[in-house]
Amino acid sequence: MSLQAPRGTRDILAPESARLRALVDAFATAAELGGYGQVHSPMFEQIEVFQRVGEATDIVSKEMYQFRDPGDRHLALRPELTASLARAFVQHRPALPWKAWYEGPQFRYEKPQAGRFRQFNQVGAELFGSDDPQADVDVIALAWRFCTGLGLGQLRLVVNSLGDRADREAYLAALAAYFEERAGELSAQGRETLSRNPLRLLDSKRPADRAVTSGAPDIEDYWSPAAAEHFAAVLAGLEALGIPFERNPRLVRGLDYYRRTAFELASDALDGAQDAVGGGGRYDGLVADLGGPDVPGVGFALGVDRLLLACDAEGTFPAPPGAAEVFVVDVTGGRQASLLAEELRRAGIRVERAFDGRSMKAQMKAADRSGARWALLVGADELAGGVVSLRRMRGHEAAEAPESVQSRIPRGGVVEELARLLAEGAAEGSGS
RNA sequence: UUGACCGUAGCUCAGUUGGUUAGAGCGCCGGGUUGUGGUCCCGGAGGUCGGGGGUUCAAAUCCCCUCGGUCCGCCCA
């Protein structure tokens, strides 16, 4: 155990990696169905990209991996992707509205825990250039459609509005005043949070602080008429689409740039502190903060690792079958297995074979474990006769007549015959 | 940064108050006569007991440090 993956990171090996890719594929399909195009952005950015976006947020102030490159540039591994996308928007100025989706790892220096890693994967989408409440709905609908498409049923959509910039500032001031007055009742940690960002305190799970926060001023009382109207339109839009939600005036998100709409997807199937699978909101003003035009935006990100945990908990979205379709057993040295396997693979058939000249029994065992429905057997007899033995591997009783299970076919017709059998099997499989 | 618990074979775990060559199940490899899987039987490989230091005649077992994991808190994905 001398060398291992750094703390908070892990290797994702074969069956699980296929599942992760399938999840990303499903998201790509959902997003592109909605007119979002994929963006690849760098894993690291000039550190200012993130700093300008949220000095007071934890992920920027204390969780960033930062470094200087050999050219003395001050860089940071991306702790989130909305800022990267906003930077890309400013740099390229695409036509509006710009709808982008993304996927990939992000990095935060935190204490690892179940469902929380220092390198973790997210999928997400952003819509730049519209302040229409229907844009908010478009984005939320994508997240919802994708998650329910995975088979997740125990998911709650929690929504809130943080008002416009001025509303938010007025509210923040009122909140700070309220908490200052009662600082004595707060826990030591609570007071620390207060000095950093009073909004954070609303989320607090500490019982002592809860008592204080329950009487705190309500954001709704600080909404401007425009913000209130916007939020009402978003809720009406969700209702029209039949997307269930619950309102929570205490929902503030971890990132400071949110304006108006904020939302979170939480899973009741996940226990413990990490029940949020994703969240997002509107961030009007962010693009301007990065030196671009005053273009509004709304988006979200979902934690891939948490989504998969939620899928586990609900017993949905299993790993896709990676099984071979055909296994070539060759006891004449292995060259025939190479030839047959390659021929079949060039025809698009998933083929496995054994190495190291193992015994027929061993190769048959391997064939069984591979999950292949068909085995091709090549021995001295077959080789001499220009044939191969074709054996059905699964779904038959031991008592069945041997000739219905195994037969010899001409060597030259192997690809055609297997293609036919597999197509037949697929048709049957889809019918049942 | 602080707290609690945990760390024995590839995996899941036993291992009595410190006491001989550290075990099981699963998995893996081989065998059960001539070239045939899934069941069964037999055999085998595989472990610096996370790492380092200390106490002791003797440490997987006790103490300290360290690394990693889990939980809480914090926060989020």
Side-chain angles (χ1 to χ4, degrees), chain A residues 168-416:
Chain A
R168 191 179 150 130
E169 265 157 31
Y171 176 62
L172 212 55
L175 205 58
Y178 171 84
F179 283 132
E180 294 296 354
E181 216 167 280
R182 285 146 214 270
E185 299 168 46
L186 292 170
S187 65
Q189 261 184 325
R191 280 193 294 276
E192 202 184 302
T193 307
L194 174 59
S195 66
R196 263 206 334 275
N197 186 345
L199 272 181
R200 288 268 75 72
L201 219 40
L202 289 177
D203 280 353
S204 176
K205 291 178 190 122
R206 285 177 299 261
D209 298 340
R210 281 230 114 122
V212 182
T213 57
S214 63
D218 206 326
I219 181 76
E220 299 188 17
D221 299 331
Y222 292 80
W223 288 343
S224 66
E229 192 186 326
H230 182 96
F231 191 49
V234 171
L235 299 186
L238 293 175
E239 263 161 25
L241 296 184
I243 297 173
F245 61 85
E246 50 189 77
R247 293 176 60 171
N248 179 359
R250 294 285 190 259
L251 175 74
V252 298
R253 300 274 312 156
L255 295 155
D256 287 338
Y257 50 63
Y258 286 122
R259 297 285 120 77
R260 297 195 171 183
T261 313
F263 64 95
E264 194 166 280
L265 284 161
S267 170
D268 289 330
L270 293 179
D271 38 40
Q274 279 82 243
D275 68 339
V277 299
R282 179 163 279 283
Y283 42 81
D284 304 346
L286 174 64
V287 173
D289 288 343
L290 284 167
D294 190 11
V295 166
V298 58
F300 69 88
L302 300 168
V304 169
D305 314 291
R306 296 239 181 118
L307 280 170
L308 288 175
L309 283 178
C311 287
D312 288 341
E314 293 204 37
T316 185
F317 201 72
E325 297 171 297
V326 177
F327 195 103
V328 184
V329 171
D330 174 11
V331 289
T332 68
R335 178 180 296 250
Q336 294 307 312
S338 294
L339 291 170
L340 279 164
E342 186 61 18
E343 211 175 300
L344 289 162
R345 287 168 182 163
R346 285 179 184 172
I349 295 170
R350 290 201 304 271
V351 184
E352 254 294 33
R353 47 85 49 93
F355 295 104
D356 302 313
R358 306 226 277 146
S359 70
M360 168 152 286
K361 178 171 181 162
Q363 292 192 49
M364 286 303 294
K365 278 188 147 181
D368 185 53
R369 274 193 304 262
S370 77
R373 301 243 292 255
W374 301 95
L376 287 175
L377 285 67
V378 183
D381 291 356
E382 286 88 346
L383 194 53
V387 296
V388 300
S389 291
L390 174 64
R391 182 178 177 83
R392 250 194 312 147
M393 289 302 282
R394 305 176 94 65
H396 61 77
E397 301 299 321
E400 209 170 320
E403 55 274 19
S404 80
V405 173
Q406 186 168 328
S407 61
R408 292 192 166 189
I409 60 174
R411 172 67 180 79
V414 166
V415 170
E416 198 183 355

Side-chain angles (χ1 to χ4, degrees), chain A residues 58-103:
Chain A
D58 287 354
I59 67 171
V60 170
S61 61
K62 53 184 196 194
E63 295 174 9
M64 269 204 300
Y65 278 91
Q66 39 182 307
F67 61 99
R68 289 190 183 274
D69 75 1
D72 206 36
R73 281 172 278 261
H74 197 180
L75 303 171
L77 296 183
R78 60 191 189 192
E80 60 126 1
L81 265 161
T82 301
S84 294
L85 271 277
R87 190 230 81 222
F89 175 82
V90 172
Q91 186 173 335
H92 301 285
R93 299 293 186 87
L96 301 182
W98 188 48
K99 297 169 77 175
W101 73 271
Y102 54 77
E103 154 277 317

